[in-house]
Amino acid sequence: MSLINDMLRNLEAKRPDDLARQNLQSEIRSLPPAATPRLRLGPVLALSSLLALALGGAVLHLDSQLLPLLGIVETPPPAVAAVPAPVVLQPAVPVLTPTPPELQPAPVADDLKLAQGLSVLPMPAAPVLPVPDPVAPPREVKPEAPPAKSETAAIKVAATTYAGPVSIEKSPVLATPRDRADAEYRKAETTQATGRSGEATEALRAALKHDAGHVPARQALLRQLLDQRRFEEAMSMLQEGLDLQPMQTGWAMSLARLQLERGDVTAADRTLGRSQDYGETNADYAAFQGHLKTRLGAHRLAVAHYQRAARLSPGEGRWWLGLGLAQEADGKAAESKEALRRALASATLSGELTAVAEQHLR
């Protein structure tokens, strides 16, 4: 601009005359102010695009190492930067022994990612829960531990199997109390056969100590006590047996007879009553109950028991005789005579009982 102004001053100084000056003045105009030069946007945009592409390629190839140089601070997510494959942060199925957060495995290095993707591991010996998610990160497994346990268990089993027969052969032990009771019962039979009744009695008592419910041993001991007329011990032995096994109706009748011989009719009736449910189909049992009810004066109950006995064994004259006497005591004369006639018709009564039946028929 300064150069152009100097040129204009020189031209104005050299003009020849006023007319020319005027003409020139009219023709000469001041130049407009200089415009600010403008940059062209096309080349700038093209250059910016090229730079952006270059920077993008550099970022892709240099793994984002140019970002700090450009003034961009960015913290990449650790999961995406460490593992290229999709990673599940938490296992899909809970593990029996969860690993604490501080013991979680560290990110796998680049040269080990292929081995991690393969993850070929031997199956553990113990049963494990199925893992449906195939992309779950593999955990540290020690396959040597289960085989060691199984080998140890196999060694123990083998040792036990080997030691078992030897110990049994050297010192045989009877397993159950019933086995020991059986052994004592056989010993009692042997000693009784040789005439050593005292040793047989002790062996039978020992058998009952091992197994109080051993019926043959108790039966044999009762027979010995009754033969020796040791009635008190026999009654105690019968009572103990009935407490354990009330279904033994034979023991109940034996105990009731011993109690009746001692004059305790009430105790005998109570003994038979305890086992009555097991003697419903036994005619002797029912007739014995009828006799005891008659002794106690309960004639109507005696009639019921004698009727059951006569129904179970209709050919036995004694039950009809007892029924007739009980009905007579209960005030049923017609029914009593019918029962007495059937007792005589059975032809099973002894001479003494026949005389009793004929006397009550008159």
Side-chain angles (χ1 to χ4, degrees):
M1 292 296 293
S2 60
L3 180 60
I4 295 172
N5 293 328
D6 290 340
M7 291 176 63
L8 292 175
R9 291 190 196 99
N10 291 334
L11 291 174
E12 185 179 359
K14 293 179 180 181
R15 46 188 182 174
D17 49 21
D18 294 333
L19 182 59
R21 183 180 302 173
Q22 292 176 359
N23 294 331
L24 289 174
Q25 187 69 26
S26 60
E27 295 294 332
I28 295 173
R29 292 178 177 84
S30 300
L31 294 174
T36 305
R38 296 181 181 179
L39 295 177
R40 295 182 179 180
L41 295 178
V44 173
L45 292 176
L47 181 59
S48 300
S49 301
L50 291 176
L51 289 176
L53 292 175
L55 288 176
V59 169
L60 294 176
H61 287 285
L62 298 180
D63 197 8
S64 303
Q65 294 183 3
L66 291 178
L67 295 178
L69 298 178
L70 298 176
I72 301 174
V73 179
E74 183 179 357
T75 303
V80 177
V83 182
V87 177
V88 180
L89 297 180
Q90 295 181 355
V93 179
V95 184
L96 296 179
T97 55
T99 306
E102 62 271 8
L103 299 180
Q104 294 292 335
V108 183
D110 293 336
D111 55 347
L112 298 180
K113 290 177 183 178
L114 180 59
Q116 183 186 19
L118 295 177
S119 65
V120 179
L121 297 175
M123 291 298 293
V128 295
L129 294 175
V131 181
D133 192 355
V135 298
R139 293 186 177 274
E140 216 181 319
V141 179
K142 296 181 180 180
E144 296 81 8
K149 292 182 180 179
S150 61
E151 292 174 3
T152 306
I155 293 173
K156 290 182 179 179
V157 171
T160 305
T161 306
Y162 174 76
V166 176
S167 62
I168 292 175
E169 290 179 2
K170 289 183 178 180
S171 58
V173 178
L174 297 175
T176 62
R178 175 53 62 94
D179 294 333
R180 292 191 288 270
D182 288 338
E184 293 291 343
Y185 177 71
R186 289 191 295 269
K187 178 182 176 182
E189 287 183 328
T190 302
T191 54
Q192 184 69 28
T194 57
R196 295 176 292 174
S197 59
E199 295 183 13
T201 303
E202 295 300 325
L204 292 173
R205 292 184 185 276
L208 292 177
K209 286 182 180 179
H210 292 305
D211 184 6
H214 198 283
V215 176
R218 188 175 296 275
Q219 190 74 19
L221 183 57
L222 286 171
R223 190 179 300 112
Q224 286 189 358
L225 294 175
L226 291 174
D227 291 342
Q228 298 170 8
R229 305 188 64 82
R230 298 162 64 176
F231 299 125
E232 292 292 336
E233 294 183 27
M235 292 174 62
S236 176
M237 192 65 59
L238 287 168
Q239 186 65 62
E240 180 182 354
L242 286 174
D243 291 340
L244 296 173
Q245 299 174 339
M247 73 287 300
Q248 298 293 339
T249 56
W251 294 350
M253 294 176 68
S254 298
L255 178 59
R257 283 192 178 96
L258 292 174
Q259 292 169 337
L260 181 60
E261 290 178 1
R262 296 173 62 88
D264 196 349
V265 183
T266 303
D269 180 67
R270 186 168 53 248
T271 298
L272 292 183
R274 290 176 57 189
S275 300
Q276 179 177 349
D277 293 340
Y278 305 99
E280 287 293 332
T281 58
N282 189 334
D284 292 339
Y285 197 95
F288 196 5
Q289 282 187 293
H291 176 70
L292 293 177
K293 294 298 184 183
T294 300
R295 296 281 299 268
L296 291 173
H299 302 293
R300 185 162 300 179
L301 293 177
V303 168
H305 289 299
Y306 275 122
Q307 284 176 340
R308 188 171 81 252
R311 184 172 60 252
L312 292 172
S313 182
E316 179 59 53
R318 292 177 299 171
W319 314 150
W320 291 107
L321 176 60
L323 175 59
L325 297 177
Q327 289 173 339
E328 182 182 357
D330 194 33
K332 298 178 180 179
E335 297 177 1
S336 171
K337 292 183 180 300
E338 179 62 25
L340 292 174
R341 292 191 188 97
R342 297 195 63 171
L344 292 173
S346 67
T348 58
L349 296 177
S350 63
E352 183 179 358
L353 293 180
T354 301
V356 172
E358 292 175 350
Q359 181 182 357
H360 283 274
L361 275 174
R362 295 178 186 152

